[in-house]
Amino acid sequence: MSRTSTAPTGGADPVLDTQTDSGLLILTLNRGDEGNPLNLAVLKHLHQAIEDATNAPEIRAILLRSDSDMFCIGMDLAALLSDKSDRGGDLRESIEAYSAVLTGIYASPKPVVCMLSGEVRAGGVGLVCACDVVVATAETTIALTEVLFGLVPANVLPYLLGLRVSPQKARYLVLTAKTVESDEALRIGLIDEIEGRETMNRRLRTLVRQLMRSSPEALSEAKRLTRDMLWQDLDTSKESAIRALEHLANDPKVLEGIRAFREG
């Protein structure tokens, strides 16, 4: 296993811990004691790590987690209170960087697994919704709290609305700022699995092994198709499916995989 840590300028404690283990990139938000606020430094490091993993053939999957039960409280609101003359420019850069991180996670050809064991708030919900597989403990709670202080989770909505929950449920969660417990989060689709604390690591190992057994090309194509079909009409989606299957079925590696599967 190799391991690196990234820190903002000035020698502060690392904001993102990065490890690789047998094709798995493990990204750990490293300031759980502060709520892992998504400031510009964190977002830039996170975006770069995901981009590097996307372009690295040896990386087969990505795991996103926190170093504590507090997964993420969302965007660092200190930027809104800054007296700096360029506050507006800094704020816009942070908002754009957050959007880029969500896009990077969702559009990456590598499957992205998210591990939760506690609180997820505001912009942290966007990180969760952009991931492909979300495994949480029973203690996990999720809330979109932006309206409480006059904001709207605008960047979160594309990954919440229609992807994770129904449009009306998304509106309900945003308007009420309700804290959703793990059982309800599973029922409405905010998370995919609930696992006990003592069995979480074993479940994650099993899940990663399953992903590693699959064809990287097939996983990438599955993510692309599910992304594209979301915004296509039925006829266009059907044609996209035909082209994708035709392409994969003519790949020698796929044919070899089918042959090996049939032979046990």
Side-chain angles (χ1 to χ4, degrees):
M1 175 184 290
S2 62
R3 175 172 177 168
T4 60
S5 296
T6 51
T9 303
D13 292 335
V15 296
L16 182 69
D17 184 79
T18 304
Q19 303 176 54
T20 57
D21 184 9
S22 303
L24 175 68
L25 173 66
I26 304 172
L27 301 177
T28 305
L29 299 172
N30 221 26
R31 287 184 171 172
D33 57 336
E34 301 174 17
N36 288 316
L38 298 174
N39 56 41
L40 189 56
V42 177
L43 293 168
K44 284 184 174 180
H45 289 310
L46 193 53
H47 182 262
Q48 189 63 56
I50 294 167
E51 190 174 79
D52 290 345
T54 295
N55 296 322
E58 67 274 13
I59 298 298
R60 299 280 301 277
I62 302 169
L63 173 65
L64 178 62
R65 65 185 184 181
S66 170
D67 66 345
S68 77
D69 281 349
M70 170 57 78
F71 178 73
C72 180
I73 60 173
M75 295 292 288
D76 188 351
L77 298 180
L80 290 175
L81 305 176
S82 171
D83 293 327
K84 293 165 55 177
S85 60
D86 59 346
R87 181 182 70 86
D90 290 345
L91 177 61
R92 181 178 180 86
E93 187 177 6
S94 294
I95 293 172
E96 290 177 343
Y98 175 71
S99 180
V101 167
L102 298 189
T103 301
I105 293 172
Y106 182 65
S108 172
K110 314 294 173 72
V112 183
V113 179
C114 185
M115 173 184 172
L116 304 175
S117 59
E119 295 182 54
V120 188
R121 298 290 180 266
V125 181
L127 293 180
V128 172
C129 290
C131 290
D132 302 305
V133 181
V134 181
V135 184
T137 66
E139 295 79 12
T140 297
T141 62
I142 299 175
L144 289 161
T145 53
E146 286 86 347
V147 296
L148 298 178
F149 41 86
L151 295 177
V152 175
N155 271 338
V156 176
L157 285 175
Y159 303 91
L160 174 74
L161 190 66
L163 289 180
R164 280 281 167 184
V165 302
S166 69
Q168 178 54 38
K169 181 61 71 174
R171 175 177 285 184
Y172 167 73
L173 294 174
V174 171
L175 294 180
T176 64
K178 177 183 179 180
T179 298
V180 179
E181 305 290 336
S182 59
D183 54 349
E184 183 180 1
L186 178 65
R187 179 173 57 81
I188 66 177
L190 278 174
I191 62 176
D192 300 305
E193 300 181 16
I194 296 177
E195 193 64 47
R197 286 181 180 272
E198 66 284 353
T199 58
M200 174 65 84
N201 286 335
R202 184 167 68 245
R203 173 57 188 143
L204 288 174
R205 285 195 296 270
T206 299
L207 181 58
V208 170
R209 281 199 300 270
Q210 291 172 331
L211 292 172
M212 297 294 189
R213 290 178 59 192
S214 300
S215 158
E217 292 80 8
L219 293 175
S220 174
E221 190 66 7
K223 288 195 65 172
R224 186 192 67 80
L225 277 174
T226 52
R227 181 180 71 246
D228 291 351
M229 286 183 178
L230 182 65
W231 311 112
Q232 293 174 345
D233 58 41
L234 179 59
D235 288 340
T236 305
S237 293
K238 287 162 58 178
E239 185 59 34
S240 295
I242 292 170
R243 289 197 304 269
L245 288 173
E246 185 179 26
H247 171 73
L248 289 172
N250 285 305
D251 187 329
K253 289 185 293 185
V254 173
L255 296 176
E256 182 60 32
I258 294 173
R259 186 177 296 108
F261 181 79
R262 291 192 61 187
E263 294 173 357

